Amino acid sequence: MQTITFMFQEMAILRFFTLMAAVVLASTFASAQSNISLAFTGFGFDFGKGVNAPIYKQKISDGKNPLFEPGLRLGVEAYASPATSIKAVQTVRYDAMKKVAMSSQVMLRFRIFRAYKHSLSFGVGPTAFYRKSWSAEEGYTDEGIYDDGTMQHKIAWLSTELEYNYVIGHYTDLSFAMTHMNPQGMGFALGIKYWFTRKSNKCGTCPSFK
């Protein structure tokens, strides 16, 4: 029963992600303001109970935090209004157990503020997490994540992201984000955002969204 339930959940989220990604990609090549971003992940924090912390292979200290989880995040974003957008993100990284882990995320984003070259945005939406199974690791404790023996899967219906951007060119931003990167923790990402279309004010680089 658990397997069947998860399969239906996975099919539903996949259809949702596909629809949202299609909307974002369509908007990217339309007249709406849109961008693509590439970021590197590094440090993360486990906010869960840390039941598997003793066997983490990517710990920086003796406790459960911080973790080193290097990877890449590719995002596509399109604005529906001056302060709201839809963003689809795909992440691939090495997790705390030195195994390949991925996540697919779709967010509705809101710009909190913009001042000259600085801006801050908040995003919320569902994320599907999947990773190579940890179950074969000695000392592993079940975390309530669906496991088919090869891969582990989990869906978070309300994951979040907080992103700071600094304009460095007419079409480029430097971005720093804190985001829900694993089922029970947050991670940090640093990267570059390239704008396909962006209206600028008289400063020549600052987005005006007019």
Side-chain angles (χ1 to χ4, degrees):
M1 180 61 70
Q2 182 182 9
T3 301
I4 295 174
T5 301
F6 183 82
M7 287 177 62
F8 277 113
Q9 290 179 336
E10 193 173 50
M11 290 172 63
I13 198 68
L14 181 60
R15 287 196 296 269
F16 180 77
F17 282 167
T18 301
L19 176 61
M20 290 297 99
V23 171
V24 171
L25 289 174
S27 299
T28 297
F29 297 101
S31 59
Q33 298 193 75
S34 54
N35 61 70
I36 188 170
S37 58
L38 180 65
F40 295 93
T41 67
F43 300 105
F45 291 87
D46 182 351
F47 294 145
K49 296 179 180 179
V51 294
N52 286 301
I55 61 172
Y56 284 167
K57 299 177 181 179
Q58 298 274 62
K59 290 188 296 184
I60 297 176
S61 64
D62 292 335
K64 67 176 183 178
N65 291 312
L67 301 171
F68 180 61
E69 299 181 302
L72 292 173
R73 300 182 81 229
L74 178 65
V76 181
E77 180 181 21
Y79 277 78
S81 76
T84 60
S85 64
I86 297 175
K87 184 177 180 181
V89 182
Q90 179 64 45
T91 302
V92 180
R93 61 188 174 82
Y94 278 105
D95 61 24
M97 211 68 76
K98 288 189 176 180
K99 295 181 181 292
V100 175
M102 293 175 283
S103 62
S104 300
Q105 185 176 31
V106 173
M107 293 176 285
L108 179 61
R109 286 163 49 89
F110 306 91
R111 194 177 67 232
I112 299 172
F113 78 86
R114 179 176 60 83
Y116 187 48
K117 295 185 178 184
H118 308 273
S119 65
L120 185 69
S121 297
F122 175 77
V124 60
T127 301
F129 300 98
Y130 29 104
R131 71 189 184 196
K132 292 192 67 174
S133 178
W134 293 6
S135 59
E137 295 289 333
E138 184 177 355
Y140 173 73
T141 300
D142 182 19
E143 299 175 296
I145 299 175
Y146 176 77
D147 194 332
D148 63 12
T150 303
M151 299 290 294
Q152 290 180 316
H153 315 262
K154 190 175 181 65
I155 296 173
W157 296 102
L158 288 176
S159 62
T160 60
E161 177 185 86
L162 186 65
E163 182 184 75
Y164 164 77
N165 294 286
Y166 179 78
V167 177
I168 58 176
H170 187 81
Y171 296 106
T172 54
D173 293 351
L174 180 66
S175 297
F176 178 74
M178 181 173 68
T179 184
H180 193 178
M181 203 173 296
N182 61 65
Q184 49 190 10
M186 303 291 288
F188 298 99
L190 178 66
I192 293 292
K193 179 178 294 184
Y194 177 83
W195 290 81
F196 293 106
T197 53
R198 173 164 70 177
K199 298 178 183 179
S200 299
N201 58 21
K202 293 181 180 180
C203 79
T205 56
C206 310
S208 65
F209 299 100
K210 294 181 179 178

